[in-house]
Structure formats: structure tokens, C-alpha cells
Amino acid sequence: MKNIPAYRTVYFSIKRAIQEGNYRPGDLIPCESDLESEFAVSRTTIRKAISILTSEGYLDVKQGRGTMVLDTSTTQRLNSITSVTETLIKQGYKVTTEGTSIEIVNARSAAASALEIPVGTDIYLVQRVLYADGVPIAIIKNYLKTNELPNLQAKVGSFVGLYGMLEKDYNIILTNATEYISAISADFAESQILRIPLGSPLLLVRRIACTEQGPIEYASIKIIADKYEYSAYLEGRK
């Protein structure tokens, strides 16, 4: 794996300290100069990591007071990047997967366009069926660039949530994503996999997720329409 940018190391170290309770809501994390010494990096690097954690709702920079840890267990972070798996877990479901496969394929036009690569480029295809409380709820295909994800095929069977694994094992920070949602009818194969009548309504979610370097993932997710709900926060008019 290529060298990980220093700001990612700082970002994940502080994030994990918050998630594991080493920093609690209301605590002030160490000041910039102390963090510089702890991680042996520049102030610019520290500020970049803090900026990402602030935008994700983990920290709040108080001028003249320091940087405070926020209570993410009770704060809804609107429009943050989350997966179907993470959403279902937060709703109290026991989430499992079956039939996971990871292979290298040639990018076809839709994936190539989304990932901004030439048609025919080698990419990973991750396929699995998502279950909520033992009931199949979604068919998921993720197309991923290979350059930052060496040996991804060895991860088969080791994860339920893809994004969590990418964070933990590859230090991937997703900065933004675009989703396209439409309605389709289940074909024969989908009806058999999801155990629903032929022609049942499905939500088709197509997502392009990006890091600072550009698109890294294109996803095609087919979800049983009456088992899942999307919400969007809208404010004001322009």
C-alpha cells in the first residue's frame, strides 16, 4: 500500500479515540501545538484533520477556548455519507450479508463514467445480499478503483459494512457522494434472491462516492421499497 497522507493518520487516531470513549462529549482535545508534538506533523496537517472531523460532526472549534468533542450519539448529522448497512444498524436491525464475492473485472461504460476512468480498466466488483433480522432486503454491487485498495479480494467474508472496512483497513476518507434514486420492478432473479413476488417495487440507488483524489466507488443498490425509507433535509430557497 502506498504511503498514507499524514492528515489521515491524525484524523483516524482522533476519531477512534472519540469512538472508543478516550475523549468524551464536552472534553477539549489537546491544543494544536500538543498534537503537532504527539504526531510529529505540521500545524497545517493538524488543522486539515480537525477540519474534516468538524465537518463530520465530531468536533466543534471554539475560538479562544479550544476544540470540543460533540455528542454524536444524540446529534443527527444531516447529509453525511452513510451506507445502507450503517443506517439499518442504527435503526436496531441485526445486519448480515450472504453471497459476498470480490473479483477484478473490466469497467463497463456506466462504472467507467462514474469512476472517471477508461472503459476496460481493471476495477473491483464487490457483490453481496444484505439481510436485516434474517430477511433479505437489498442486492448490492460496488465497483471500486484498485489503486488504493490492494488485496481487497482477501477481505471476502471479513466485513458487513463496506465503508467501515475501507476506513479501518485502508484509511479511506470519503469526502462527498452523489446519489440517484429511481423506482424499478423486480425481475425474476431479483424476486428469487429477495423472496418477493415478481414485479414488486424496488428502489434503485446509484451512488458515486469520492475521496479528495476523486471518485473511488460506484454503487448499484436494489432495495425492497417498503422495507427502507430515505429522508432528506431541505432548508430555504435560492
Side-chain angles (χ1 to χ4, degrees):
M1 186 183 301
K2 63 185 183 180
N3 291 334
I4 298 169
Y7 77 89
R8 290 199 206 176
T9 301
V10 177
Y11 163 87
F12 282 111
S13 179
I14 297 175
K15 183 175 180 178
R16 286 166 185 157
I18 294 171
Q19 292 173 333
E20 293 169 3
N22 297 323
Y23 295 136
R24 298 183 177 279
D27 287 350
L28 297 178
I29 67 170
C31 64
E32 289 181 348
S33 59
D34 288 345
L35 291 171
E36 286 178 64
S37 299
E38 178 181 346
F39 292 101
V41 295
S42 68
R43 183 156 299 192
T44 299
T45 296
I46 296 298
R47 287 179 175 174
K48 186 168 186 177
I50 296 299
S51 175
I52 297 172
L53 289 163
T54 299
S55 69
E56 291 184 352
Y58 286 97
L59 298 174
D60 184 21
V61 179
K62 301 287 189 182
Q63 294 297 327
R65 292 179 51 196
T67 302
M68 185 176 70
V69 177
L70 297 177
D71 185 356
T72 57
S73 66
T74 59
T75 301
Q76 181 183 10
R77 288 176 287 156
L78 299 170
N79 298 326
S80 62
I81 302 172
T82 188
S83 68
V84 174
T85 301
E86 292 166 339
T87 300
L88 290 170
I89 290 173
K90 287 180 181 178
Q91 291 175 349
Y93 289 99
K94 179 183 179 182
V95 180
T96 56
T97 59
E98 288 191 12
T100 301
S101 68
I102 304 176
E103 58 184 321
I104 293 178
V105 300
N106 294 328
R108 295 186 178 181
S109 58
S113 175
L115 295 173
E116 299 178 0
I117 55 176
V119 171
T121 301
D122 283 351
I123 57 174
Y124 289 117
L125 169 58
V126 181
Q127 300 185 82
R128 61 203 192 279
V129 178
L130 196 67
Y131 286 69
D133 289 346
V135 177
I137 191 171
I139 301 169
I140 303 177
K141 294 183 179 181
N142 306 93
Y143 302 87
L144 298 142
K145 286 183 175 178
T146 60
N147 57 328
E148 289 200 52
L149 306 172
N151 302 317
L152 184 66
Q153 289 160 302
K155 303 295 181 182
V156 169
S158 68
F159 66 92
V160 174
L162 177 66
Y163 290 171
M165 183 273 288
L166 294 180
E167 277 196 359
K168 179 177 179 291
D169 294 347
Y170 292 97
N171 285 339
I172 295 296
I173 300 175
L174 298 178
T175 56
N176 61 84
T178 301
E179 285 192 346
Y180 304 89
I181 303 172
S182 56
I184 60 172
S185 299
D187 63 20
F188 178 77
E190 292 157 356
S191 69
Q192 294 298 300
I193 292 170
L194 296 172
R195 305 175 195 168
I196 55 178
L198 181 66
S200 295
L202 300 176
L203 291 177
L204 171 61
V205 180
R206 292 176 295 123
R207 169 183 285 187
I208 303 170
C210 303
T211 67
E212 285 193 331
Q213 288 70 47
I216 190 173
E217 179 221 20
Y218 170 64
S220 172
I221 307 167
K222 296 175 181 177
I223 313 173
I224 299 176
D226 62 358
K227 300 290 186 181
Y228 198 78
E229 181 180 81
Y230 269 84
S231 64
Y233 175 77
L234 308 174
E235 182 175 334
R237 286 172 56 86
K238 292 184 179 180

